[in-house]
Tab-separated table of all heavy atoms in Angstrom:
chain	number	residue	atom	x	y	z
L	50	LEU	N	147.623	101.404	82.098
L	50	LEU	CA	148.046	100.100	81.565
L	50	LEU	C	147.430	99.832	80.196
L	50	LEU	O	148.067	99.215	79.332
L	50	LEU	CB	147.726	98.987	82.555
L	50	LEU	CG	148.491	99.040	83.875
L	50	LEU	CD1	148.045	97.918	84.801
L	50	LEU	CD2	149.995	99.031	83.640
L	51	GLU	N	146.214	100.326	79.975
L	51	GLU	CA	145.608	100.226	78.636
L	51	GLU	C	146.421	101.018	77.617
L	51	GLU	O	146.626	100.562	76.488
L	51	GLU	CB	144.163	100.726	78.649
L	51	GLU	CG	143.193	99.824	79.339
L	51	GLU	CD	141.796	100.414	79.389
L	51	GLU	OE1	141.466	101.299	78.542
L	51	GLU	OE2	141.023	100.016	80.270
L	52	PHE	N	146.881	102.185	78.016
L	52	PHE	CA	147.716	103.009	77.140
L	52	PHE	C	149.036	102.302	76.878
L	52	PHE	O	149.551	102.303	75.752
L	52	PHE	CB	147.905	104.398	77.739
L	52	PHE	CG	148.629	105.357	76.846
L	52	PHE	CD1	148.351	105.452	75.479
L	52	PHE	CD2	149.600	106.205	77.347
L	52	PHE	CE1	149.013	106.349	74.649
L	52	PHE	CE2	150.274	107.114	76.533
L	52	PHE	CZ	149.986	107.184	75.181
L	53	ARG	N	149.612	101.701	77.920
L	53	ARG	CA	150.835	100.918	77.739
L	53	ARG	C	150.634	99.818	76.701
L	53	ARG	O	151.451	99.642	75.806
L	53	ARG	CB	151.274	100.299	79.072
L	53	ARG	CG	152.472	99.363	78.921
L	53	ARG	CD	152.521	98.252	79.920
L	53	ARG	NE	151.315	97.446	79.917
L	53	ARG	CZ	150.982	96.625	80.896
L	53	ARG	NH1	151.730	96.522	81.971
L	53	ARG	NH2	149.874	95.918	80.811
L	54	ASP	N	149.519	99.106	76.799
L	54	ASP	CA	149.218	98.038	75.854
L	54	ASP	C	149.080	98.582	74.432
L	54	ASP	O	149.522	97.951	73.462
L	54	ASP	CB	147.954	97.289	76.263
L	54	ASP	CG	148.105	96.564	77.591
L	54	ASP	OD1	149.257	96.368	78.040
L	54	ASP	OD2	147.065	96.204	78.197
L	55	PHE	N	148.465	99.759	74.307
L	55	PHE	CA	148.340	100.416	73.010
L	55	PHE	C	149.724	100.706	72.434
L	55	PHE	O	149.993	100.421	71.244
L	55	PHE	CB	147.521	101.697	73.157
L	55	PHE	CG	147.474	102.563	71.927
L	55	PHE	CD1	146.608	102.271	70.887
L	55	PHE	CD2	148.307	103.650	71.804
L	55	PHE	CE1	146.558	103.049	69.739
L	55	PHE	CE2	148.275	104.455	70.681
L	55	PHE	CZ	147.399	104.146	69.634
L	56	LEU	N	150.614	101.270	73.247
L	56	LEU	CA	151.948	101.588	72.774
L	56	LEU	C	152.737	100.319	72.428
L	56	LEU	O	153.524	100.313	71.473
L	56	LEU	CB	152.704	102.406	73.810
L	56	LEU	CG	152.151	103.796	74.121
L	56	LEU	CD1	153.007	104.496	75.165
L	56	LEU	CD2	152.036	104.651	72.869
L	57	GLU	N	152.494	99.273	73.157
L	57	GLU	CA	153.171	97.995	72.894
L	57	GLU	C	152.810	97.459	71.508
L	57	GLU	O	153.674	96.928	70.802
L	57	GLU	CB	152.770	96.989	73.979
L	57	GLU	CG	153.705	95.808	74.096
L	57	GLU	CD	153.436	95.030	75.375
L	57	GLU	OE1	152.255	94.769	75.687
L	57	GLU	OE2	154.416	94.689	76.046
L	58	LYS	N	151.559	97.631	71.096
L	58	LYS	CA	151.123	97.195	69.760
L	58	LYS	C	151.883	97.902	68.655
L	58	LYS	O	152.070	97.354	67.574
L	58	LYS	CB	149.626	97.452	69.572
L	58	LYS	CG	148.718	96.552	70.361
L	58	LYS	CD	147.274	96.912	70.129
L	58	LYS	CE	146.382	96.199	71.119
L	58	LYS	NZ	145.002	96.652	71.028
L	59	PHE	N	152.324	99.132	68.932
L	59	PHE	CA	153.071	99.890	67.939
L	59	PHE	C	154.572	99.812	68.148
L	59	PHE	O	155.332	100.615	67.615
L	59	PHE	CB	152.580	101.350	67.926
L	59	PHE	CG	151.220	101.501	67.320
L	59	PHE	CD1	150.071	101.487	68.116
L	59	PHE	CD2	151.074	101.618	65.941
L	59	PHE	CE1	148.826	101.602	67.551
L	59	PHE	CE2	149.818	101.732	65.383
L	59	PHE	CZ	148.692	101.720	66.176
L	60	GLU	N	154.974	98.848	68.958
L	60	GLU	CA	156.381	98.518	69.172
L	60	GLU	C	157.216	99.634	69.772
L	60	GLU	O	158.390	99.814	69.437
L	60	GLU	CB	157.008	97.991	67.877
L	60	GLU	CG	156.302	96.767	67.345
L	60	GLU	CD	156.873	96.256	66.026
L	60	GLU	OE1	157.814	96.861	65.489
L	60	GLU	OE2	156.355	95.242	65.557
L	61	PHE	N	156.612	100.399	70.675
L	61	PHE	CA	157.380	101.370	71.428
L	61	PHE	C	158.330	100.619	72.365
L	61	PHE	O	157.926	99.627	72.980
L	61	PHE	CB	156.455	102.263	72.280
L	61	PHE	CG	155.885	103.421	71.560
L	61	PHE	CD1	154.823	103.270	70.670
L	61	PHE	CD2	156.406	104.701	71.755
L	61	PHE	CE1	154.287	104.346	70.006
L	61	PHE	CE2	155.852	105.801	71.108
L	61	PHE	CZ	154.797	105.619	70.207
L	62	PRO	N	159.579	101.067	72.489
L	62	PRO	CA	160.447	100.445	73.476
L	62	PRO	C	159.994	100.854	74.885
L	62	PRO	O	159.529	101.974	75.070
L	62	PRO	CB	161.832	101.017	73.169
L	62	PRO	CG	161.550	102.313	72.467
L	62	PRO	CD	160.236	102.133	71.740
L	63	PHE	N	160.101	99.971	75.827
L	63	PHE	CA	159.704	100.272	77.218
L	63	PHE	C	158.320	100.935	77.253
L	63	PHE	O	158.189	102.093	77.659
L	63	PHE	CB	160.733	101.155	77.904
L	63	PHE	CG	162.136	100.672	77.761
L	63	PHE	CD1	163.028	101.289	76.897
L	63	PHE	CD2	162.562	99.555	78.488
L	63	PHE	CE1	164.315	100.834	76.757
L	63	PHE	CE2	163.866	99.096	78.348
L	63	PHE	CZ	164.756	99.731	77.482
L	64	PRO	N	157.291	100.223	76.818
L	64	PRO	CA	155.969	100.858	76.654
L	64	PRO	C	155.379	101.462	77.927
L	64	PRO	O	154.725	102.497	77.853
L	64	PRO	CB	155.082	99.736	76.113
L	64	PRO	CG	155.832	98.478	76.356
L	64	PRO	CD	157.280	98.818	76.443
L	65	LEU	N	155.616	100.862	79.091
L	65	LEU	CA	155.077	101.464	80.314
L	65	LEU	C	155.788	102.793	80.609
L	65	LEU	O	155.125	103.784	80.933
L	65	LEU	CB	155.200	100.519	81.506
L	65	LEU	CG	154.648	101.059	82.829
L	65	LEU	CD1	153.154	101.420	82.680
L	65	LEU	CD2	154.856	100.054	83.950
L	66	PHE	N	157.101	102.822	80.468
L	66	PHE	CA	157.840	104.064	80.673
L	66	PHE	C	157.356	105.125	79.688
L	66	PHE	O	157.129	106.267	80.067
L	66	PHE	CB	159.348	103.806	80.510
L	66	PHE	CG	160.167	105.052	80.575
L	66	PHE	CD1	160.426	105.667	81.794
L	66	PHE	CD2	160.670	105.644	79.429
L	66	PHE	CE1	161.176	106.828	81.871
L	66	PHE	CE2	161.405	106.803	79.485
L	66	PHE	CZ	161.663	107.394	80.718
L	67	CYS	N	157.227	104.740	78.414
L	67	CYS	CA	156.762	105.691	77.389
L	67	CYS	C	155.356	106.196	77.690
L	67	CYS	O	155.057	107.378	77.488
L	67	CYS	CB	156.820	105.061	76.003
L	67	CYS	SG	158.508	104.837	75.395
L	68	ALA	N	154.483	105.308	78.173
L	68	ALA	CA	153.118	105.704	78.488
L	68	ALA	C	153.103	106.738	79.617
L	68	ALA	O	152.456	107.785	79.514
L	68	ALA	CB	152.283	104.478	78.887
L	69	VAL	N	153.823	106.452	80.693
L	69	VAL	CA	153.877	107.374	81.821
L	69	VAL	C	154.510	108.691	81.390
L	69	VAL	O	154.017	109.782	81.745
L	69	VAL	CB	154.635	106.741	83.008
L	69	VAL	CG1	154.888	107.761	84.104
L	69	VAL	CG2	153.848	105.560	83.557
L	70	LEU	N	155.586	108.625	80.621
L	70	LEU	CA	156.264	109.845	80.166
L	70	LEU	C	155.338	110.694	79.284
L	70	LEU	O	155.237	111.907	79.470
L	70	LEU	CB	157.542	109.472	79.407
L	70	LEU	CG	158.432	110.607	78.989
L	70	LEU	CD1	158.971	111.356	80.203
L	70	LEU	CD2	159.601	110.062	78.148
L	71	SER	N	154.665	110.066	78.331
L	71	SER	CA	153.783	110.781	77.431
L	71	SER	C	152.602	111.408	78.180
L	71	SER	O	152.268	112.582	77.963
L	71	SER	CB	153.273	109.858	76.321
L	71	SER	OG	152.376	110.543	75.470
L	72	VAL	N	151.978	110.642	79.040
L	72	VAL	CA	150.833	111.147	79.804
L	72	VAL	C	151.249	112.299	80.711
L	72	VAL	O	150.576	113.324	80.802
L	72	VAL	CB	150.154	110.003	80.602
L	72	VAL	CG1	149.204	110.563	81.647
L	72	VAL	CG2	149.418	109.063	79.659
L	73	THR	N	152.398	112.146	81.358
L	73	THR	CA	152.900	113.223	82.230
L	73	THR	C	153.173	114.469	81.424
L	73	THR	O	152.781	115.577	81.836
L	73	THR	CB	154.168	112.761	82.977
L	73	THR	OG1	153.859	111.599	83.751
L	73	THR	CG2	154.701	113.850	83.882
L	74	ALA	N	153.841	114.310	80.282
L	74	ALA	CA	154.130	115.467	79.431
L	74	ALA	C	152.845	116.164	79.001
L	74	ALA	O	152.752	117.403	79.052
L	74	ALA	CB	154.921	115.042	78.204
L	75	GLN	N	151.839	115.384	78.607
L	75	GLN	CA	150.592	115.976	78.147
L	75	GLN	C	149.794	116.633	79.264
L	75	GLN	O	149.270	117.740	79.093
L	75	GLN	CB	149.741	114.917	77.445
L	75	GLN	CG	150.332	114.436	76.144
L	75	GLN	CD	149.477	113.372	75.502
L	75	GLN	OE1	148.316	113.610	75.187
L	75	GLN	NE2	150.037	112.201	75.326
L	76	PHE	N	149.708	115.968	80.406
L	76	PHE	CA	148.918	116.504	81.517
L	76	PHE	C	149.570	117.734	82.121
L	76	PHE	O	148.962	118.807	82.231
L	76	PHE	CB	148.694	115.417	82.575
L	76	PHE	CG	147.720	115.794	83.643
L	76	PHE	CD1	146.343	115.743	83.411
L	76	PHE	CD2	148.149	116.217	84.903
L	76	PHE	CE1	145.433	116.094	84.393
L	76	PHE	CE2	147.249	116.570	85.880
L	76	PHE	CZ	145.893	116.500	85.627
L	77	VAL	N	150.845	117.608	82.488
L	77	VAL	CA	151.564	118.734	83.093
L	77	VAL	C	151.756	119.851	82.062
L	77	VAL	O	151.589	121.030	82.372
L	77	VAL	CB	152.896	118.272	83.699
L	77	VAL	CG1	153.732	119.461	84.204
L	77	VAL	CG2	152.654	117.276	84.834
L	78	GLY	N	152.099	119.447	80.833
L	78	GLY	CA	152.243	120.437	79.775
L	78	GLY	C	150.954	121.182	79.485
L	78	GLY	O	150.951	122.387	79.263
L	79	GLY	N	149.833	120.468	79.517
L	79	GLY	CA	148.539	121.107	79.327
L	79	GLY	C	148.239	122.107	80.421
L	79	GLY	O	147.755	123.218	80.148
L	80	LEU	N	148.528	121.731	81.670
L	80	LEU	CA	148.327	122.665	82.782
L	80	LEU	C	149.228	123.899	82.614
L	80	LEU	O	148.797	125.027	82.874
L	80	LEU	CB	148.632	121.978	84.120
L	80	LEU	CG	147.619	120.916	84.563
L	80	LEU	CD1	148.138	120.197	85.814
L	80	LEU	CD2	146.258	121.504	84.804
L	81	ALA	N	150.469	123.667	82.174
L	81	ALA	CA	151.400	124.795	81.967
L	81	ALA	C	150.882	125.722	80.881
L	81	ALA	O	150.969	126.942	81.014
L	81	ALA	CB	152.774	124.263	81.618
L	82	LEU	N	150.337	125.155	79.803
L	82	LEU	CA	149.801	126.008	78.744
L	82	LEU	C	148.608	126.835	79.236
L	82	LEU	O	148.522	128.023	78.944
L	82	LEU	CB	149.387	125.175	77.521
L	82	LEU	CG	150.481	124.495	76.725
L	82	LEU	CD1	149.893	123.844	75.469
L	82	LEU	CD2	151.614	125.431	76.356
L	83	ILE	N	147.729	126.192	79.960
L	83	ILE	CA	146.559	126.917	80.486
L	83	ILE	C	147.002	128.101	81.338
L	83	ILE	O	146.491	129.209	81.192
L	83	ILE	CB	145.639	125.975	81.297
L	83	ILE	CG1	144.975	124.965	80.347
L	83	ILE	CG2	144.593	126.753	82.083
L	83	ILE	CD1	144.288	123.818	81.060
L	84	ALA	N	147.968	127.854	82.211
L	84	ALA	CA	148.438	128.916	83.115
L	84	ALA	C	149.384	129.892	82.405
L	84	ALA	O	149.611	130.989	82.905
L	84	ALA	CB	149.162	128.281	84.310
Side-chain angles (χ1 to χ4, degrees):
L50 295 178
E51 288 177 23
F52 186 43
R53 175 209 56 196
D54 295 344
F55 172 80
L56 295 180
E57 198 167 46
K58 289 179 191 173
F59 288 94
E60 301 178 359
F61 275 77
F63 311 105
L65 181 58
F66 175 77
C67 289
V69 171
L70 186 63
S71 178
V72 166
T73 301
Q75 292 179 61
F76 189 79
V77 174
L80 290 173
L82 292 186
I83 291 168

